Structures are given as C-alpha cells and as structure tokens.
Amino acid sequence: MRTPFDRRLVEALSGVSGVHVTPYGPDGAVDHDRLAAVVDAIAAAGIDNIVTGGNTGEFYALTSGEVRAACRTAVTANAGRRAVTAGIGRSLADACGLAEAAAHAGADMVMLHQAPDPFQSPAGAIDYTHRVAEASPLPLVLYLRNDFYSREQFEALLSHPRIIGIKYASPDIARLMDRIEVARRQAVLVVCGLAETWAAPFSAAGATGFTSGLVNLLPALSIAVRDALRKGDYAAAREHVRRIAPFEAMRAMQGNGCNVTVVKEAMRLTGSDVGRVRPPGTPALQPGEVEALAMLLRDWGLEIR
C-alpha cells in the first residue's frame, strides 16, 4: 500500500513548478553566483516548486558533475523556502547516482527525465524507472514526453510507491484524461508539463499544477495563472495566457530549439545576462526576433536595458 506523501510536497506540485535556467560565465562554465541569484528570485517570488536540472536548465547540455553542483547551489539558495525538485536521468547508473546526490544535497523530490533511447521498450522503461526509484528515498516525479504505454503498462509504471507525480508533456487531452483516471487510483498527481499555455485545458481535464520557464523572467504572471485556475476563473486564466502565448510561440521556434534561447535573451534584455545556450540549443536569436521579443517585454511593462 502506498504511504501518503508529505502534504507540503503535494501542494508544491499542485502549484507552479518553476524550472530555472543555468547561467554561464564568459568562459562557458556554470556561473554559480548568478545561479544562486536566479533561484533566490524565484523562491522570493513565491513559486511553489523549484526545479533544478530541468530542460530549461539545459539538463542534457550539462555534465553529470555540473548537474550535481547546480542542485547543491539551488538547494542552498532556496534556503528551505520552497520545495526543490532535482532533475535526474541518462543511463541507469547516472540516474541512480544523480538521485542519490540529490538526496544528499537536500532536495525534496527528484524528476526523472524520460530516456531518449530510440530502442527502449515499455517494459524496459518501467524497469528503468522502478530501479531509479529505489536509488534514493526521495519521492519521484516522472517526466513523460512520449506516452507509448498501454493502459496496463501505464498502471504498472505508476505502481512503485515512491512515485508522487507525473509531469505530463503531451497535448493529447483524451489520452491525458485516461491517464489521470489511472493515476488517481494510485494517488499519483498529474501535472501539466507544457507550461502556462496548456495549464487551463489540463486543469479542466483534471490535472493539477503546471511547469514554467517564464518564472525566470516574470514569476508574477505565472502565479496569476495559478491563482485564477485555483479559483476556477478560466476567463482570467485565458487572459493571462493570452499575454504569455507570444512568448511561448517564440520559444517553440526551430522545433523548440529556441525554448531556452528566448528565456535567456529575455533575461539579458531586462538586465540579467545569464550567458548563451549551449549546443544543441539555438545559440542566439536573429536581430528581428530580438526586437520582437523586446516589444513583447515592453508590453508586459518590463524595462529594456
């Protein structure tokens, strides 16, 4: 039987899971002073769950050592104010080692990136997930971008008692509703993994909470979406999302290759230079794209420096 999870962690996942960027210095190395400042600002703004080592943090562009060090910096900078979830993944040995390191660093939960292996099978992925779940005592969030499981396999995937939630990042609402039904029977949360623009339809389908990269720039707008959905005020949520949609559309350029690039460029434009994106992400925006982004930021009331 599944032991109930700490209510504080359940509430954190039910709010905004803000994924911080990874700043780099002029030499291309992780700038831990700037990283601490980014996390401090997100925590101070009231974001419920701080995700370190997420895709907005360029998880796959970092070495395992850099992921571990970034987790330590994030936990220290947060200083216990919010929940901290540490991204883990890659090979089974790497994922287990990162899970152990996250627990040692003081993270509250771990988030397992879905393995990108083109030859994985559902049975192999379930075994991989459960073995990683055994590697540390922390509750585990599954990051699911490619839902290739049958209903029975999905039930088996969620059966490990350490799994607290799923960051579901597929826009198939009908399939999402089926997954929520299965997850509820196992007391597992389903979180919108497609940021603010999909938060309302996911909420209407029964999901709770959403992820955000916008928190690096304008956390108050993410919180406004959260609060509107908690009140069931979908009209207000849609208006907030209308303001956010052009930003997310820019992030989706080049097959999502601009996802982090747009966030970092927006931070640079507003006075917080956190360095460029490492390959294979898009290194920089075109001049016209930068100007369009600057216009959007001005519309949001942000000062361009």
Side-chain angles (χ1 to χ4, degrees):
M1 183 175 179
R2 191 183 298 268
T3 302
F5 292 103
D6 185 330
R7 186 64 192 170
R8 182 180 72 93
L9 301 184
V10 172
E11 290 175 354
L13 282 177
S14 300
V16 183
S17 290
V19 190
H20 70 71
V21 298
T22 300
Y24 306 124
D27 62 353
V30 176
D31 186 329
H32 286 273
D33 289 339
R34 290 185 181 181
L35 174 55
V38 169
V39 172
D40 176 66
I42 294 172
I47 296 302
D48 307 278
N49 178 35
I50 297 172
V51 180
T52 182
N55 281 339
T56 303
E58 301 176 73
F59 177 78
Y60 284 103
L62 302 175
T63 67
S64 290
E66 287 175 325
V67 172
R68 293 174 188 229
C71 178
R72 293 193 296 269
T73 297
V75 170
T76 300
N78 176 57
R81 288 171 289 177
R82 313 296 169 195
V84 174
T85 299
I88 62 174
R90 302 192 176 102
S91 73
L92 178 60
D94 284 333
C96 290
L98 289 171
E100 293 171 356
H104 184 72
D108 298 287
M109 295 177 279
V110 290
M111 179 188 73
L112 180 59
H113 287 267
Q114 189 169 19
D117 192 326
F119 303 123
Q120 66 180 307
S121 68
I126 292 168
D127 182 48
Y128 169 83
T129 299
H130 290 184
R131 291 173 70 177
V132 174
E134 290 295 328
S136 88
L138 298 180
L140 178 71
V141 178
L142 303 181
Y143 188 178
L144 193 59
R145 296 178 63 87
N146 175 25
D147 185 353
F148 65 157
Y149 299 99
S150 69
R151 198 170 211 256
E152 293 73 21
Q153 290 165 342
F154 191 74
E155 289 175 341
L157 177 69
L158 300 190
S159 66
H160 196 285
R162 204 160 279 154
I163 295 174
I164 187 174
I166 311 164
K167 176 184 173 181
Y168 199 84
S170 169
D172 185 336
I173 297 297
R175 195 170 183 84
L176 168 68
M177 292 177 69
D178 176 75
R179 298 325 198 191
I180 289 172
E181 181 182 335
V182 173
R184 280 179 173 167
R185 290 203 302 267
Q186 302 203 47
V188 173
L189 297 173
V190 177
V191 175
C192 172
L194 295 172
E196 289 86 353
T197 49
W198 280 91
F202 268 60
S203 175
T208 180
F210 57 90
T211 59
S212 174
L214 178 64
V215 298
N216 292 279
L217 183 70
L218 193 57
L221 194 47
S222 300
I223 290 172
V225 175
R226 179 200 70 187
D227 291 349
L229 291 176
R230 283 180 173 174
K231 294 174 184 175
D233 189 347
Y234 284 91
R238 284 194 299 272
E239 178 58 25
H240 297 315
V241 169
R242 182 193 64 77
R243 297 179 65 204
I244 297 169
F247 182 74
E248 293 299 325
M250 292 190 73
R251 295 180 71 192
M253 294 187 304
Q254 298 188 33
N256 278 323
C258 290
N259 193 293
V260 185
T261 312
V262 168
V263 176
K264 285 192 163 183
E265 181 63 25
M267 295 176 75
R268 184 190 69 80
L269 287 168
T270 53
S272 179
D273 191 346
V274 291
R276 292 199 170 190
V277 174
R278 286 180 178 176
T282 301
L285 300 180
Q286 297 300 311
E289 295 166 343
V290 173
E291 182 54 35
L293 178 59
M295 288 179 62
L296 175 62
L297 300 178
R298 291 189 189 99
D299 287 343
W300 285 353
L302 298 176
E303 181 181 355
I304 303 301
R305 301 179 184 179

